[in-house]
Amino acid sequence: MKKKIKALKVNQWLDAWGKYNFDPKQRRKKPEPAFYIFKLSAPQLKSLSGIFRRTSAEKEKGFIENIQRAHEPERSAKIKKFIRFGYPYSDLSQAKADSGEFENLKKPGWLPTAIIINILAKDDKRLGKYKVHEDDLLKLNKDGDEFVTIELPESFTGDLKWKPKELHPIEVIDGQHRLWAFEDDSDAKDFELPIVAFYGLDISWQAYLFWSINITPKKINASLAYDLYPLLRAEDWLESDDNYIVYRETRAQEIIEALWSNPISPWYKKINMLGEKGIDSVSQSAYLRSLVSTFLRSKQKKLGGLYSAPLEYFDDILPWNGAQQVAFIIFIWSALIKSINNSSAQWANSLRKLETPAKASEGYGDPAFSGRFSLLKTDQGVRGILYTYNDLAFSFAEKLKLEQVFSKGDLSSKATDEKEVNNSLKILNENKNLKSFIDELSNVISGFDWRTSAAEKLTAREQSIKAGYRGSGGYKMLRYHLLEHIGRREDEIAKTALQIRNNI
């Protein structure tokens, strides 16, 4: 096979662009003033960019695979059928295709639009540490004013058997689903694809390109884009855009729907979804505002939402899909409720005395969690809990290796996919390091006095403090008191809690 490829250099730069904000710290270093156009066969491009089904042994190498964008298998299957049979045959039901009555509808399935890629330079890092090995780099050599010659790695074999020593030398910005369509398609080994290649393009600019290609022309909805390209969840240039707000609120609503509808959730049928009067539980709108203010918030004073802000050590967003995000929320609440059920704290015992066994058997559960005088089922209690677990999980993310928890998940799985949520919850419970951390934190939180101001036998001071939790200012006060409570111990969690408290 050819180890040298001739590419057309396309100069595309305006002098005015030089005044824009190019900040390497934001993963937006100044890009090259040109890109390149050439062609490669589908197997060659797949191999160089790592777009193929990985074996278990390769998964054990680490988290490198998740640099790639999320994959929707159904989308690639549809493209594969189109390539083979064209339109409209590719849209026929399987029964009609098998009937043999529509053979005249078969046509060539051309893919004339370019795959957009980035060729990594020698100093480019991903996930804070991974680089392309020197032997695997693609080298660009000037070939006159209008062309460059691209040298492929000496060891490159041109098929999926080739493996790089570390990171793949190509990143696919747009077109991954088209490449997946050639999976196990041996008769397409000579099927060539047009390519537009950037060189050394920083990761944030790649997210911007994906957005401008797929969202600006309204090809796909904004919420789906955030899952296909998790980095978009943290881009500051999107924070003032309506789509960003819609994404966060839409994802929050999906999480709430899953919490309310999944029988395994502690919040199963316990959220007031329609905001009806007379229902003694947190409303959907209040829960939504709490999720947007905690797990889905942008970065603030070094702390951000675990689902929406970049982790400094990881240099990226946790690429957890909707189902995995829901599973973690269930995970933390389940751990807390278990701790409360096992607690003999004075506040918990006093609330249990106020609820009859009959009411408990009718679905109240432990009155310390869901009784009439428990803060935990209120707007303020939910916000306080979500703040605390989010902030401490965000702070301990590196030690907990959160980026590695779901190394085998499908990033396009929906929050309401009950089977995927339950599978993800199982993975969380099997993670001993993470489970130990959450259980320890839950045990401390269960010792906090969660009674409302209306509970019996409160001292005047206790009643005054709890009355202060009502209203908009109560969120910050409860958050402060919770962190102060956690900080009374002598361990790393306590120390971190106090640092967070001092910065809010």
Side-chain angles (χ1 to χ4, degrees):
M1 61 161 290
K2 292 182 178 180
K3 292 292 180 71
K4 294 184 179 181
I5 302 167
K6 199 163 190 175
L8 175 66
K9 182 180 179 182
V10 180
N11 295 301
Q12 199 171 92
W13 191 262
L14 297 178
D15 290 341
W17 295 358
K19 300 176 183 178
Y20 294 173
N21 181 27
F22 300 113
D23 186 358
K25 293 181 180 179
Q26 296 294 323
R27 296 163 294 184
R28 286 196 292 267
K29 68 181 180 183
K30 189 172 182 179
E32 296 289 325
F35 55 79
Y36 309 92
I37 297 176
F38 58 97
K39 66 178 182 178
L40 274 177
S41 73
Q44 289 174 337
L45 183 54
K46 283 175 65 181
S47 183
L48 288 167
S49 56
I51 305 297
F52 56 89
R53 192 164 283 114
R54 291 162 172 80
T55 65
S56 298
E58 286 164 338
K59 285 181 180 291
E60 292 173 3
K61 291 180 180 178
F63 202 68
I64 299 178
E65 63 187 291
N66 277 332
I67 293 172
Q68 300 295 350
R69 316 307 163 229
H71 176 236
E72 292 182 288
E74 299 82 6
R75 192 172 167 193
S76 290
K78 189 171 183 179
I79 296 173
K80 181 175 182 177
K81 197 172 180 182
F82 167 77
I83 294 169
R84 221 168 240 295
F85 306 117
Y87 181 83
Y89 191 92
S90 58
D91 275 1
L92 292 179
S93 67
Q94 194 59 49
K96 287 184 177 181
D98 292 342
S99 71
E101 297 177 11
F102 302 93
E103 296 298 298
N104 62 315
L105 297 181
K106 291 182 177 179
K107 297 178 179 65
W110 285 300
L111 294 178
T113 53
I115 306 289
I116 313 296
I117 69 167
N118 175 56
I119 299 172
L120 282 95
K122 65 177 182 178
D123 294 326
D124 289 339
K125 288 184 179 181
R126 295 296 180 258
L127 308 186
K129 58 181 178 180
Y130 295 113
K131 296 173 64 175
V132 180
H133 192 277
E134 185 177 358
D135 294 341
D136 299 326
L137 289 166
L138 272 63
K139 299 175 183 177
L140 276 63
N141 301 313
K142 187 176 180 181
D143 189 356
D145 293 332
E146 295 188 6
F147 295 93
V148 296
T149 297
I150 301 175
E151 291 186 35
L152 302 182
E154 185 63 33
S155 64
F156 184 58
T157 57
D159 54 35
L160 296 183
K161 294 179 181 179
W162 181 78
K163 302 292 186 295
K165 294 180 179 178
E166 190 169 354
L167 201 61
H168 287 85
I170 285 177
E171 296 170 322
V172 177
I173 299 172
D174 188 61
Q176 180 175 242
H177 287 88
R178 277 170 277 169
L179 283 177
W180 268 98
F182 292 93
E183 180 75 7
D184 303 324
D185 214 351
S186 57
D187 65 344
K189 63 180 183 298
D190 296 323
F191 195 104
E192 293 182 331
L193 296 167
I195 296 168
V196 168
F198 289 80
Y199 180 75
L201 191 65
D202 221 341
I203 194 72
S204 186
W205 287 123
Q206 293 185 44
Y208 169 74
L209 259 180
F210 179 87
W211 181 267
S212 61
I213 292 168
N214 291 286
I215 303 301
T216 304
K218 303 299 181 184
K219 289 183 180 179
I220 62 177
N221 69 61
S223 184
L224 176 60
Y226 282 92
D227 277 339
L228 294 177
Y229 214 127
L231 180 61
L232 287 168
R233 299 173 191 170
E235 290 299 82
D236 55 10
W237 47 270
L238 282 174
E239 291 189 18
S240 60
D241 187 279
D242 287 343
N243 283 311
Y244 181 77
I245 303 302
V246 168
Y247 158 71
R248 294 198 295 164
E249 293 183 346
T250 299
R251 174 46 52 84
Q253 197 281 324
E254 290 171 348
I255 291 174
I256 294 165
E257 177 70 28
L259 293 175
W260 179 84
S261 62
N262 192 331
I264 205 170
S265 166
W267 289 99
Y268 179 60
K269 306 300 183 185
K270 285 189 171 76
I271 301 172
N272 185 355
M273 298 297 282
L274 301 179
E276 298 171 280
K277 294 182 179 179
I279 297 180
D280 189 23
S281 185
V282 63
S283 69
Q284 177 177 205
S285 61
Y287 215 126
L288 183 148
R289 289 193 297 271
S290 289
L291 282 169
V292 169
S293 299
T294 57
F295 280 83
L296 293 167
R297 74 171 184 261
S298 57
K299 202 161 189 177
Q300 300 168 357
K301 296 181 180 179
K302 294 188 176 181
L303 282 176
L306 194 64
Y307 300 163
S308 58
L311 300 163
E312 288 186 6
Y313 78 95
F314 184 51
D315 198 32
D316 212 337
I317 303 298
L318 284 182
W320 291 2
N321 63 36
Q324 292 160 352
Q325 292 172 2
V326 170
F328 188 73
I329 300 294
I330 292 176
F331 182 60
I332 61 177
W333 277 108
S334 297
L336 177 60
I337 291 171
K338 182 180 178 181
S339 292
I340 290 173
N341 287 342
N342 295 329
S343 173
S344 57
Q346 185 271 333
W347 75 268
N349 285 334
S350 68
L351 293 187
R352 289 169 187 142
K353 292 177 182 178
L354 299 176
E355 302 285 356
T356 66
K359 283 186 176 180
S361 66
E362 289 169 7
Y364 276 75
D366 188 340
F369 168 63
S370 53
R372 288 174 294 162
F373 304 108
S374 173
L375 264 175
L376 288 166
K377 64 175 177 121
T378 68
D379 178 10
Q380 287 81 6
V382 168
R383 181 80 63 96
I385 290 299
L386 295 180
Y387 259 133
T388 304
Y389 282 97
N390 175 82
D391 293 350
L392 286 165
F394 192 93
S395 299
F396 281 86
E398 183 173 9
K399 289 191 175 182
L400 296 172
K401 299 180 180 178
L402 293 185
E403 79 282 2
Q404 296 182 27
V405 171
F406 297 116
S407 61
K408 299 181 181 180
D410 177 1
L411 293 179
S412 61
S413 291
K414 296 181 179 179
T416 50
D417 186 336
E418 190 171 305
K419 182 179 179 181
E420 184 65 23
V421 169
N422 294 348
N423 288 339
S424 299
L425 186 58
K426 182 180 179 182
I427 292 172
L428 289 168
N429 278 305
E430 291 173 349
N431 189 312
K432 294 181 180 179
N433 189 33
L434 178 57
K435 189 174 187 331
S436 176
F437 174 83
I438 294 298
D439 285 347
E440 183 179 355
L441 180 57
S442 299
N443 288 335
V444 180
I445 293 174
S446 67
F448 185 79
D449 188 343
W450 288 102
R451 291 175 294 177
T452 68
S453 61
E456 297 178 2
K457 298 181 179 179
L458 292 176
T459 66
R461 182 174 181 276
E462 288 172 337
Q463 192 171 44
S464 175
I465 291 173
K466 294 178 184 304
Y469 294 153
R470 296 196 296 264
S472 58
Y475 298 131
K476 184 174 182 179
M477 182 184 293
L478 178 56
R479 184 186 184 192
Y480 186 94
H481 286 166
L482 262 174
L483 292 168
E484 187 176 54
H485 170 78
I486 297 168
R488 289 174 186 155
R489 305 191 331 153
E490 297 289 336
D491 59 20
E492 195 172 2
I493 293 178
K495 181 180 178 181
T496 302
L498 290 178
Q499 289 174 345
I500 296 170
R501 183 204 63 176
N502 293 335
N503 286 312
I504 62 174

